[in-house]
Amino acid sequence: MNATAAVEENEMTGLATVGAIVGVLLVGLVVLVRKPANTRSVLRWSALAITALVAAVLAPFTVDDSGSAASYLLGVPVVAALLPVLAQRIGRLTVVADLVAALILTGWGLLLGLGIGVAFLPAVLLLIASAAGTWAPRPSTTT
């Protein structure tokens, strides 16, 4: 990879990271303002969407740089973010799936940290918030 391509890849990684952070902040704002009944579902689907979008943005540069290895470099985070959504659809072990996905995304992000990995880290916040929402006290319906 020449110097120009490396600079372009770093710029695209930075753009993807900033986009992911903005996405997480927007989801957080929507959840705080709108207070949807299915907050954890919104958080899980948003984490999946943000992770998939980051992978899509980084795909061209990752394929140029890593060739066929790009499939697992970008695929592992997407599959990890898919786990909580699948667990929710099945209706079992959703908190465990949230935490496992957050752990995988964090580990993968740190493993690839000096490259594309940092762009996957913002979605971890949504998965942790989803898991934490399980233990949050429910609002009282009585007055």
Side-chain angles (χ1 to χ4, degrees):
M1 175 186 301
N2 63 30
T4 305
V7 169
E8 286 179 13
E9 182 179 354
N10 287 339
E11 288 175 358
M12 191 53 67
T13 301
L15 181 65
T17 303
V18 169
I21 291 169
V22 168
V24 167
L25 292 174
L26 287 174
V27 170
L29 184 63
V30 167
V31 166
L32 287 174
V33 172
R34 301 292 303 245
K35 295 179 178 46
N38 57 349
T39 299
R40 291 193 308 265
S41 178
V42 169
L43 294 173
R44 289 180 186 122
W45 278 101
S46 297
L48 175 59
I50 289 169
T51 303
L53 287 171
V54 165
V57 166
L58 296 176
F61 294 101
T62 307
V63 170
D64 286 345
D65 187 41
S66 302
S68 62
S71 62
Y72 69 83
L73 291 173
L74 300 173
V76 167
V78 174
V79 170
L82 182 63
L83 291 176
V85 172
L86 293 176
Q88 176 183 318
R89 300 278 294 171
I90 295 169
R92 303 192 62 158
L93 302 172
T94 54
V95 175
V96 172
D98 287 338
L99 295 175
V100 167
L103 184 62
I104 291 170
L105 280 173
T106 301
W108 202 251
L110 293 175
L111 182 67
L112 304 175
L114 295 177
I116 63 173
V118 70
F120 293 108
L121 294 177
V124 171
L125 296 174
L126 296 176
L127 295 170
I128 291 172
S130 175
T134 304
W135 296 299
R138 299 195 187 268
S140 175
T141 57
T142 60
T143 55

